[in-house]
Amino acid sequence: SFPRVASASALARELKRGFHKTHGKDEGSVEDETKATIDSFQNHKQTRPALSVHDAKALVLKTAADARLLRRAVAESYRGANMLESYVSLNVEAFRKIVKKHDKLTGWSTQETYMKGLRELRVFHDDEIGNLRSNMEQYYLKIEETLCELEPERWERRFGENGSPR
């Protein structure tokens, strides 16, 4: 099988230098794998045999297929993060209404205390979901950029010959 590349420019460098199969990678996060792939392409000085045209085309097709799968996974993760945020928000709002109704029926004033305790639990951090979304958006755009470089007709379909969005 062909190695996965982090960008189309890394693929171009790889095609120019030839194909070298890597062995024995440990499982890690997507970020670790991406950084390791970029590092291996940038730091590898060993000369390799040139790729045949057939192998180069197969490598481009495999990389494009992998990029499409990765794009779909990032989009699904982004939707999942949005759904999680909505779920937590609805539960917090429901809890607030339940405590408000309790206070109304008992004449007590516990809503402020309970809501403060809930915020202190920090089950869901707004800044964390913001960072997560931002990272996923950057990954998605990088994948799209890679696909446009691997498939020039995709770029023309999306942006036309002059590069402006249609």
Side-chain angles (χ1 to χ4, degrees):
S1 82
F2 296 105
R4 295 180 185 187
V5 294
S7 70
S9 56
L11 175 63
R13 284 193 305 274
E14 192 62 17
L15 290 175
K16 287 178 186 173
R17 291 190 300 208
F19 175 74
H20 177 71
K21 188 174 182 181
T22 58
H23 299 284
K25 266 196 163 181
D26 292 337
E27 291 294 320
S29 71
V30 173
E31 283 183 5
D32 292 343
E33 185 176 330
T34 302
K35 287 177 185 175
T37 303
I38 291 170
D39 290 344
S40 70
F41 286 136
Q42 291 175 345
N43 297 331
H44 196 72
K45 306 285 188 218
Q46 180 181 359
T47 58
R48 290 166 275 164
L51 279 175
S52 70
V53 172
H54 180 269
D55 287 345
K57 286 181 181 179
L59 180 59
V60 169
L61 290 175
K62 174 78 170 119
T63 303
D66 288 347
R68 284 191 292 276
L69 286 172
L70 185 58
R71 180 187 61 195
R72 187 177 306 134
V74 169
E76 285 296 317
S77 297
Y78 189 84
R79 281 191 287 274
N82 285 335
M83 289 172 53
L84 176 62
E85 182 183 36
S86 295
Y87 177 77
V88 170
S89 176
L90 285 172
N91 279 295
V92 168
E93 184 64 16
F95 184 77
R96 186 190 65 76
K97 287 182 178 186
I98 290 169
V99 174
K100 181 178 179 181
K101 184 75 165 185
H102 171 268
D103 285 354
K104 183 178 179 182
L105 292 174
T106 61
W108 297 352
S109 182
T110 60
Q111 182 178 2
E112 207 173 295
T113 305
Y114 279 116
M115 293 308 292
K116 181 181 178 193
L118 187 62
R119 280 190 299 272
E120 288 174 1
L121 283 176
R122 295 195 56 160
V123 175
F124 189 77
H125 306 277
D126 289 335
D127 55 337
E128 288 179 9
I129 192 65
N131 291 338
L132 181 64
R133 274 198 198 124
S134 176
N135 288 340
M136 284 190 274
E137 289 166 1
Q138 289 172 1
Y139 293 143
Y140 189 89
L141 291 174
K142 187 66 175 172
I143 294 165
E144 276 297 314
E145 177 186 315
T146 300
L147 282 170
C148 286
E149 289 180 17
L150 291 171
E151 303 168 338
E153 67 279 357
R154 177 186 185 82
W155 180 266
E156 291 174 12
R157 276 195 318 265
R158 295 194 77 170
F159 299 105
E161 290 182 23
N162 63 359
S164 60
R166 289 186 175 188

